[in-house]
Amino acid sequence: MPAIKLPTPCSAEPLLRVPSATRSKGSALHLRLRPALAAAALTFLVGSCAPALVEQSANRSVPAAYTPATAAAPADTATAARVRWQAFFADPNLRALIETALAGNQELNITRQEIEIARAEVRARKGEYLPFVGLGGRAALDRVSRTTIQGATEDKINIEEGHRTPDPLGNLQVAAVASWEVDIWHRLRNARQAAANRYLASIEGRNFMVTNLVAEIASNYYELLALDNQLALVQQNIGIQTNALQLVRLQKESARVTELAVRRFEAQVQHTTALQYSIQQRIVETENRLNFLCGRFSQPVARASDAFATAVPNVVAAGAPAQLLQNRPDIRQAEQLLTAAHLDVRVARAAFYPALHLDGAVGLGAFRPGLLLTTPESLLFGLGADLMAPLVNRNGLKAGLKAANARQTQAVVQYQRAVLNGYLEVANQLASVQNLARAYDAKTREVDALTTSVEIAGNLFQSARADYTEVLITQRDALEARFDLIDTRLQQLTAAVNVYRALGGGWQ
């Protein structure tokens, strides 16, 4: 048996070395094997010239805490991200809206089909490294021109052997054909695994969409409750201002005030009435926004508006920043895409190596249908192997590898961006929850003071000890303060929802 030695790319040794003791044996076999072995050695030599594999790793480190002042304290590992949205939201109307949206939201349903597309891609990649087997038949007629060498040779053979080849000559074949690329370098398996990672990334993308959808439904629902309370406040103020307008008209008749005061009070009533219609329009738009998220046409949204005034924002446990890597779907999605990008680089590099293809066929063949079953004479089979490696003009392969490396770098940056964005979102919303709690306390004291001021200004005006402008200004300030108080409560509820979303809650 000849000894084969594969040289290094810069070696000048021969590709094939046969020991002298065996040169006298099987010289004919050696002569037939030498070209094949030399070709095999050459293909492996070419494959050894593939570019070096470069895999970039992402920085997965995050700060120990969301607030630098508490970084030295041990972090609490309890996090609201593990709380199901059914338990996080207590309002039954809100839970019913979320359930409707998860079933009917069009964008979410589109994402579900993208998951099916990614799953089909995994199946296709898996089939590429398995053998392909097919069954087929062929029927043909062939007549060779007698003025050609082949035709003249057949005539000569027919005359010498005393028979005549059918003219035209039929060719009937029924065979099973198989082909298989032997995945020596794991090129096909890495491609399948990359497709599987992208499939998992599409699932995480769906989860991230669910998280955002739950948060958006909750935020719009709380906004609708706030608008209902603002509308009730405006309607209450319209009644108070209308009564004040009637009182001023009576005072004008008794010459205690002028027509200017009447007009100013009337303008105030009309201003508040216009504000009422503006809020009603916003209510319609918010309801339709919720209906759109639920995938349905316009219809009233069931809600308990009275509960808004007593609603208390949820106390959201933030946990440790490192938990974001497991809980936030967008970070998990970026991680899966990064893994797929690493595998794509390996696939692109494996294209420089030799590819081994095996082909085989077995079946029956004859020039007449009656002869197909005359075995073993009609039996045909074939077996072959191809070993091929790129040698010249590998620019396309180099460009593919360069593009894969660029996509890998892009995936690394996107992963680190997702981690940074998630951390900062949580930090911002946690600070917002604390500051809004202080702001709500201050706004409550402001409303109490202005409510008392309205009563005092009204009494002073009736006793002619205060000007009507003081009453108007005090009423306007009190209305704005109450609006701000409702808006601050809305921001508190929204901030709690945003913390829950930023931590990665809502998709479980």
Side-chain angles (χ1 to χ4, degrees):
M1 183 69 184
I4 303 174
K5 179 181 179 181
L6 297 180
T8 60
C10 299
S11 175
E13 297 182 7
L15 294 177
L16 193 62
R17 176 178 297 170
V18 182
S20 57
T22 61
R23 289 177 184 174
S24 61
K25 300 179 181 180
S27 58
L29 179 61
H30 291 165
L31 292 176
R32 289 195 297 267
L33 288 178
R34 281 187 179 183
L37 296 177
L42 181 60
T43 53
F44 279 98
L45 176 62
V46 173
S48 64
C49 299
L53 179 64
V54 179
E55 287 191 358
Q56 302 181 28
S57 59
N59 182 12
R60 291 177 166 81
S61 61
V62 292
Y66 293 107
T67 305
T70 61
D76 186 4
T77 57
T79 173
R82 296 297 183 179
V83 179
R84 297 172 62 88
W85 61 264
Q86 293 91 339
F88 185 81
F89 300 107
D91 193 326
N93 295 314
L94 176 56
R95 290 202 298 263
L97 273 176
I98 294 175
E99 289 178 357
T100 304
L102 293 179
N105 183 265
Q106 285 93 346
E107 189 172 358
L108 187 58
N109 289 329
I110 292 173
T111 304
R112 291 191 178 104
Q113 299 309 311
E114 292 178 353
I115 292 176
E116 293 301 320
I117 295 173
R119 180 183 298 173
E121 180 67 19
V122 175
R123 292 177 181 174
R125 294 292 185 180
K126 182 178 180 180
E128 287 184 356
Y129 71 84
L130 297 176
F132 292 90
V133 179
L135 180 64
R138 184 175 185 273
L141 288 176
D142 187 17
R143 184 187 186 279
V144 180
S145 173
R146 300 305 171 186
T147 59
T148 61
I149 296 177
Q150 182 180 355
T153 303
E154 288 184 359
D155 287 342
K156 182 179 179 181
I157 294 174
N158 290 335
I159 293 173
E160 292 177 351
E161 297 183 358
H163 62 80
R164 180 170 180 81
T165 303
D167 189 14
L169 181 63
N171 184 16
L172 303 176
Q173 292 181 357
V174 178
V177 181
S179 63
W180 182 35
E181 179 180 350
V182 183
D183 195 16
I184 304 174
W185 316 110
H186 287 188
R187 181 180 67 86
L188 300 178
R189 297 187 183 183
N190 285 334
R192 184 195 67 84
Q193 186 59 44
N197 287 115
R198 289 190 173 89
Y199 165 69
L200 297 176
S202 66
I203 294 179
E204 297 298 343
R206 189 272 314 272
N207 295 337
F208 186 57
M209 182 174 294
V210 169
T211 294
N212 289 327
L213 179 61
V214 169
E216 192 171 358
I217 288 286
S219 298
N220 282 276
Y221 179 78
Y222 290 140
E223 182 180 354
L224 190 58
L225 298 185
L227 290 172
D228 288 342
N229 281 264
Q230 288 179 349
L231 180 61
L233 178 62
V234 167
Q235 292 173 342
Q236 179 183 1
N237 274 268
I238 290 176
I240 295 174
Q241 292 170 1
T242 301
N243 293 333
L245 175 60
Q246 293 176 355
L247 178 62
V248 171
R249 284 174 176 170
L250 293 176
Q251 290 181 347
K252 177 182 177 296
E253 291 177 359
S254 61
R256 294 181 60 185
V257 296
T258 63
E259 181 67 18
L260 178 60
V262 175
R263 295 300 181 183
R264 290 291 300 273
F265 273 87
E266 184 177 358
Q268 184 69 20
V269 172
Q270 297 303 322
H271 173 77
T272 309
T273 303
L275 183 59
Q276 172 188 351
Y277 294 123
S278 175
I279 294 175
Q280 289 176 347
Q281 176 61 26
R282 291 177 60 190
I283 289 176
V284 172
E285 293 176 356
T286 305
E287 280 187 325
N288 286 335
R289 193 181 309 124
L290 283 169
N291 287 324
F292 175 77
L293 293 174
C294 293
R296 64 191 187 187
F297 290 100
S298 298
Q299 64 182 71
V301 175
R303 56 191 183 272
S305 302
D306 297 337
F308 181 80
T310 58
V312 179
N314 293 335
V315 178
V316 184
Q323 293 175 304
L324 292 177
L325 305 183
Q326 291 81 34
N327 296 330
R328 273 190 66 118
D330 58 332
I331 296 178
R332 292 158 60 97
Q333 181 185 26
E335 185 176 9
Q336 294 293 342
L337 293 176
L338 177 58
T339 304
H342 288 329
L343 293 172
D344 287 340
V345 173
R346 297 183 182 180
V347 171
R349 185 172 182 268
F352 289 88
Y353 294 141
L356 177 61
H357 295 267
L358 303 179
D359 299 291
V362 60
L364 302 172
F367 60 85
R368 283 202 305 264
L371 300 177
L372 279 176
L373 300 180
T374 58
T375 56
E377 289 81 3
S378 61
L379 184 64
L380 60 86
F381 65 89
L383 182 63
D386 295 326
L387 187 63
M388 183 67 66
L391 180 60
V392 180
N393 193 8
R394 302 191 296 177
N395 292 332
L397 300 179
K398 293 178 180 178
L401 180 59
K402 187 175 182 180
N405 282 321
R407 285 191 292 268
Q408 177 183 225
T409 303
Q410 188 181 53
V412 170
V413 176
Q414 288 175 344
Y415 175 82
Q416 294 175 344
R417 178 180 178 273
V419 174
L420 177 61
N421 179 64
Y423 172 84
L424 294 179
E425 279 187 357
V426 176
N428 290 338
Q429 295 304 324
L430 289 176
S432 177
V433 168
Q434 296 176 359
N435 292 324
L436 286 172
R438 302 187 184 101
Y440 186 82
D441 292 339
K443 280 293 179 183
T444 301
R445 292 190 293 269
E446 179 186 0
V447 168
D448 293 339
L450 287 174
T451 301
T452 305
S453 299
V454 170
E455 296 176 358
I456 295 173
N459 294 332
L460 292 176
F461 178 71
Q462 291 180 9
S463 61
R465 297 172 60 187
D467 188 64
Y468 66 90
T469 57
E470 295 178 344
V471 177
L472 293 175
I473 293 174
T474 305
Q475 289 181 348
R476 183 194 63 193
D477 292 344
L479 179 61
E480 291 179 354
R482 292 191 180 98
F483 264 72
D484 290 343
L485 184 64
I486 293 175
D487 187 62
T488 304
R489 175 63 80 190
L490 172 61
Q491 293 180 31
Q492 281 187 289
L493 295 172
T494 304
V497 173
N498 288 337
V499 172
Y500 181 60
R501 178 195 60 80
L503 290 172
W507 60 269
Q508 290 87 353

